[in-house]
């Protein structure tokens, strides 16, 4: 069973830093790769772009894909101002995006795409995975078990062996319930055993 974190994209940490009492100079995701390269000479954290969890339609700008060359140019410009994390851009895997990107088939079946994504996630070797995507995609991945998805707030979950995402809280409740049930069954067996001994 893998440990996962779902994160809804939204305002950057830099934009909300002051409200959270943080410095704008705090580490970014890009620093993870930089530190790995400094320590080991190689980046072991993978950033993979997967179109199966893209959200399209409704004419909203964020729901439209951006050409990779345009995206990288924009990110290089922004990162050069706020963080020395440009090296991280060289370690993003875009190979899973279709050749037609940023044009994708908006009529593709949502359920099939999400199931395919979860199977792909299950087959990866990493045990700890973070997925950054849209509000509705997170709800769909969790089978609508939550109503509201705040921006940039990690939602802890588990990826089960049958490629299902469940909230960590639900998994804990399920484990507690199972444990209580086993304890009840065990208590009943002990009570029966004592009754049998008394009858003898």
């Amino acid at each position: 069973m893998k440990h996962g974190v779902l994160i809804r994209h939204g305002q950057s940490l830099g934009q909300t830093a002051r409200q959270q009492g943080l410095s704008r100079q705090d580490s970014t995701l890009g620093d993870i790769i930089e530190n790995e390269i400094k320590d080991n000479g190689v980046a072991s954290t993978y950033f993979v772009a997967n179109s199966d969890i893209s959200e399209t339609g409704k004419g909203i700008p964020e729901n439209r894909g951006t050409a990779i060359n345009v995206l990288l140019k924009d990110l290089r410009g922004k990162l050069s101002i706020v963080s020395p994390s440009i090296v991280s851009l060289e370690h993003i895997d875009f190979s899973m995006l279709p050749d037609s990107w940023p044009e994708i088939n908006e009529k593709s079946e949502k359920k099939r795409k999400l199931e395919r994504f979860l199977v792909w996630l299950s087959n990866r070797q990493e045990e700890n995975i973070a997925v950054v995507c849209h509000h509705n995609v997170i709800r769909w991945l969790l089978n609508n078990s939550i109503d509201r998805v705040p921006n940039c707030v990690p939602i802890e979950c588990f990826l089960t062996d049958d490629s299902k995402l469940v909230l960590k809280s639900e998994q804990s409740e399920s484990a507690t319930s199972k444990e209580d049930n086993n304890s009840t069954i065990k208590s009943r067996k002990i009570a029966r055993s004592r009754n049998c001994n008394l009858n003898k």
Side-chain angles (χ1 to χ4, degrees):
M1 185 180 293
K2 298 178 187 287
H3 176 251
V5 177
L6 298 175
I7 307 169
R8 178 189 176 189
H9 74 89
Q11 292 178 306
S12 69
L13 288 176
Q15 289 174 314
T16 60
R18 289 195 181 94
Q19 295 94 307
Q20 299 180 60
L22 301 174
S23 166
R24 283 178 176 266
Q25 303 303 316
D26 277 6
S27 297
T28 65
L29 284 175
D31 294 325
I32 296 173
I33 289 180
E34 285 185 359
N35 292 331
E36 287 175 346
I37 293 175
K38 288 176 184 175
D39 295 340
N40 310 314
V42 64
S44 58
T45 298
Y46 295 95
F47 291 81
V48 184
N50 189 314
S51 64
D52 281 341
I53 53 172
S54 60
E55 190 173 276
T56 60
K58 299 183 180 179
I60 303 173
E62 69 184 35
N63 287 356
R64 291 198 298 267
T66 302
I68 296 172
N69 62 325
V70 175
L71 173 67
L72 290 177
K73 181 179 179 180
D74 179 59
L75 289 176
R76 285 192 182 98
K78 291 175 179 176
L79 288 176
S80 66
I81 297 172
V82 301
S83 169
S85 303
I86 296 178
V87 65
S88 65
L89 299 180
E90 307 305 322
H91 297 275
I92 300 176
D93 182 356
F94 293 104
S95 64
M96 294 198 66
L97 297 181
D99 293 336
S100 61
W101 185 266
E103 300 299 325
I104 59 176
N105 183 9
E106 296 183 9
K107 296 181 179 179
S108 296
E109 187 180 351
K110 173 184 66 181
K111 182 179 179 181
R112 181 180 59 81
K113 287 172 61 177
L114 295 182
E115 287 176 347
R116 184 170 62 195
F117 170 75
L118 290 174
V119 169
W120 169 78
L121 211 57
S122 295
N123 291 331
R124 289 192 65 86
Q125 62 181 0
E126 296 86 0
E127 292 299 318
N128 298 295
I129 301 172
V131 178
V132 182
C133 53
H134 292 268
H135 174 278
N136 288 338
V137 174
I138 290 176
R139 293 194 64 216
W140 295 332
L141 287 171
L142 292 172
N143 201 27
N144 294 314
S145 58
I146 55 175
D147 294 322
R148 182 174 173 273
V149 183
N151 291 98
C152 304
V153 176
I155 300 170
E156 288 193 86
C157 53
F158 289 105
L159 183 63
T160 64
D161 294 337
D162 57 349
S163 303
K164 304 290 183 185
L165 269 178
V166 294
L167 289 169
K168 182 180 179 180
S169 56
E170 289 184 352
Q171 186 73 12
S172 300
E173 289 173 7
S174 175
T176 301
S177 176
K178 187 175 181 180
E179 189 175 310
D180 290 343
N181 188 45
N182 288 338
S183 297
T184 301
I185 292 173
K186 187 176 180 180
S187 298
R188 286 174 180 168
K189 286 181 178 178
I190 292 173
R192 287 195 191 114
S193 176
R194 286 175 179 168
N195 288 335
C196 289
N197 291 334
L198 288 173
N199 290 334
K200 290 179 181 178

